[in-house]
């Protein structure tokens, strides 16, 4: 299973990524988590990424793409993976396509987890109280939502054109949303079986 989980900040990608990846026994790869771990350890990658993250901007494509290429080359990704929060720009889509082409495999599905913008802001503000993430202040949250709408939202169309996209409502309990994602994946895979039948 090679799966992408897309969606605006606060839609619940991280939580769902962990559950869905476990269900399919593939690694959940969150570019945000990898960046945060590097910031905490103050590695060269973390130092390069931190200013962008603190401002709610995207880390430049060259840095992000190199990091993802290295991660996907690890052995545990050979049988599949779930990418959470990547790709987020057109150049990242191109990079992922070429990485997959090199290994001769394609994506199985792209799930877009969506929620109302006001709900996203209130969820992120609540998370900032619980987790104290540096980029969960109100002004940075608003900037992250803007950047998502401008740069990442439009990428969904390109995956829809390839018949890979499934939009899922991110509002509800964790279990409800998980069930919706699993149902969407099942329906996509049975549609594909139906269309590929002789
Ligand atoms: P997230 O945990 O997914 O909300 O990501 C936190 C921050 O990490 C983002 O606001 C960006 O600064 C950075 N980041 C994560 N993934 C990417 C990506 N695919 N491209 C560029 N920056 C990213």
């Amino acid at each position: 299973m090679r799966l992408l989980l897309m969606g605006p900040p606060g839609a619940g990608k991280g939580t769902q990524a962990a559950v869905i990846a476990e269900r399919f026994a593939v690694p959940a790869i969150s570019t945000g988590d990898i960046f945060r771990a590097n910031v905490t350890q103050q590695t060269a990658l973390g130092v390069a990424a931190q200013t962008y993250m603190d401002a709610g901007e995207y880390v430049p494509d060259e840095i992000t793409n190199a990091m993802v290429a290295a991660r996907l080359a690890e052995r545990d990704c050979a049988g599949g993976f779930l990418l959470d929060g990547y790709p987020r720009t057109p150049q990242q889509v191109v990079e992922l396509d070429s990485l997959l082409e090199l290994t001769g495999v394609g994506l199985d599905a792209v799930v877009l987890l969506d929620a109302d913008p006001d709900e996203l802001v209130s969820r992120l503000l609540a998370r900032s109280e619980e987790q104290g993430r540096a980029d969960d202040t109100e002004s940075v949250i608003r900037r992250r939502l803007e950047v998502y709408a401008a740069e990442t939202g439009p990428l969904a169309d390109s995956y829809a054109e390839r018949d890979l996209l499934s939009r899922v409502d991110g509002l509800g309990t964790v279990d409800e949303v998980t069930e919706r994602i699993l149902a969407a994946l099942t329906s996509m895979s049975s549609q594909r079986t139906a269309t590929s039948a002789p």
Side-chain angles (χ1 to χ4, degrees), residues 42-60:
Q42 286 293 291
T43 64
L45 176 65
V47 171
Q50 186 164 17
T51 335
Y52 299 100
M53 295 173 75
D54 286 349
E57 305 294 338
Y58 285 167
V59 177

Side-chain angles (χ1 to χ4, degrees), residues 109-171:
V110 179
V111 172
L112 173 64
L113 204 54
D114 218 350
D116 171 72
D118 289 338
E119 168 71 19
L120 295 172
V121 175
S122 59
R123 280 190 193 184
L124 289 166
L125 287 172
R127 186 174 76 183
S128 79
E129 307 248 307
E130 289 158 22
Q131 298 177 10
R133 249 176 73 163
D135 59 352
D136 275 345
T137 61
E138 184 153 3
S139 63
V140 178
I141 287 171
R142 296 210 181 271
R143 180 63 193 147
R144 284 160 60 210
L145 288 168
E146 266 173 28
V147 173
Y148 175 84
E151 301 205 33
T152 308
L155 304 181
D157 293 342
S158 71
Y159 287 118
E161 280 162 20
R162 300 190 212 174
D163 280 334
L164 285 171
L165 189 77
S166 190
R167 291 173 195 269
V168 170
D169 180 4
L171 201 67

Side-chain angles (χ1 to χ4, degrees), residues 9-10 13 30-33 35-36 49-50 52-61 64 67-68 84-89 92 127 133 135 140 144:
K13 294 189 300 297
S30 154
T31 42
D33 281 353
F35 281 135
R36 273 185 292 280
Q50 186 164 17
Y52 299 100
M53 295 173 75
D54 286 349
E57 305 294 338
Y58 285 167
V59 177
D61 286 332
T64 308
M67 179 181 88
V68 171
D84 155 16
Y86 181 93
R88 292 192 190 188
T89 67
Q92 293 179 16
R127 186 174 76 183
R133 249 176 73 163
D135 59 352
V140 178
R144 284 160 60 210

